[in-house]
Amino acid sequence: MREGQGGLKMSVQLRRYTSVDRPTVEQFKVTSAQTAFVEPLRETLAMEANRDCFVIEAYDEPVGFFQIDHVSEMQSLKAHLEVHEVMIDWRHQGKKYGKAFVEILPSFLNVEYPDWSGVCLTVNCRNGKAKRLYEYGGFIDTGELKLDGPSGPQHIMRRAI
């Protein structure tokens, strides 16, 4: 799905993950400072049965990954899709792909999940940079915390789609 009037948003697209993507996606890594906030992708891909997997592409090259939970009934907020494991490979960070991702995510989710009207996510309380990115993308902190995260408490954020 491409969107926007030229520029970066036009070069970034979101699409469903396929088995062809596995070798590339398994090689994605984050910086050492980010490892506490993202599960290893081999573990993440093992959860594929409960979550839909997607690739973030820039200029037709996979640069990132994320998952959507719409079936587990374990979402942090009832009646909301939940975004998980968002990551941009360290070699592609700093190019504003994360910013483009949060800009196009709502319309992408509207197409992929037309029966849903909201999306939520959790972001570690120590990950201020990610929280600011999601706020830029229209996510609002609910004021609630998820306390059982492996790296400590997480803000629960939501937005309409």
Side-chain angles (χ1 to χ4, degrees), residues 36 39 122-126 145-155:
E39 290 182 14
T122 60
V123 62
N124 192 283
C125 292
R126 296 181 292 133
L145 294 176
K146 181 177 179 181
L147 300 175
D148 63 350
S151 295
Q154 301 167 44
H155 297 282

Side-chain angles (χ1 to χ4, degrees), residues 1 3 21 25 29 31 35 48 55 64 69 89 96 99 106 114 119 126 129 134 139 150-151:
M1 166 182 247
E3 190 171 298
D21 295 311
V25 168
K29 304 238 183 298
T31 66
T35 58
E48 195 173 346
V55 172
D69 178 352
D89 182 64
K96 301 196 184 303
K99 194 172 194 178
V119 61
R126 296 181 292 133
K129 187 173 183 179
Y134 294 126
F139 283 85
S151 295

Side-chain angles (χ1 to χ4, degrees), residues 3 12 21 25 27-28 41 51 54 66 74 80 82 86 88-89 91 111 119-120 124 130 135 144 152:
E3 190 171 298
V12 172
D21 295 311
V25 168
Q27 298 302 311
F28 287 168
L41 278 174
R51 298 176 182 170
F54 297 91
F66 69 102
M74 299 292 293
H80 283 67
E82 186 158 358
V86 177
I88 303 292
D89 182 64
R91 294 167 290 193
V111 171
V119 61
C120 67
N124 192 283
E135 288 170 339
E144 298 177 51

Side-chain angles (χ1 to χ4, degrees), residues 6-27:
L8 186 58
K9 284 195 326 188
M10 193 62 165
S11 65
V12 172
Q13 58 186 335
L14 310 178
R15 66 167 175 79
R16 286 203 175 254
Y17 166 92
T18 69
S19 59
V20 173
D21 295 311
R22 190 175 195 105
T24 301
V25 168
E26 282 185 341
Q27 298 302 311

Side-chain angles (χ1 to χ4, degrees), residues 59-122:
Y59 304 100
D60 300 317
E61 176 187 356
V63 298
F65 177 85
F66 69 102
Q67 292 178 317
I68 298 292
D69 178 352
H70 68 100
V71 296
S72 75
E73 298 183 14
M74 299 292 293
Q75 290 91 342
S76 296
L77 295 175
K78 288 185 182 234
H80 283 67
L81 298 166
E82 186 158 358
V83 181
H84 290 274
E85 307 309 327
V86 177
M87 68 168 307
I88 303 292
D89 182 64
W90 72 273
R91 294 167 290 193
H92 300 285
Q93 292 184 12
K95 300 177 182 177
K96 301 196 184 303
Y97 297 149
K99 194 172 194 178
F101 165 75
V102 298
E103 289 175 348
I104 64 176
L105 181 64
S107 58
F108 177 79
L109 293 176
N110 270 326
V111 171
E112 290 289 320
Y113 304 97
D115 296 333
W116 293 78
S117 59
V119 61
C120 67
L121 55 81
T122 60

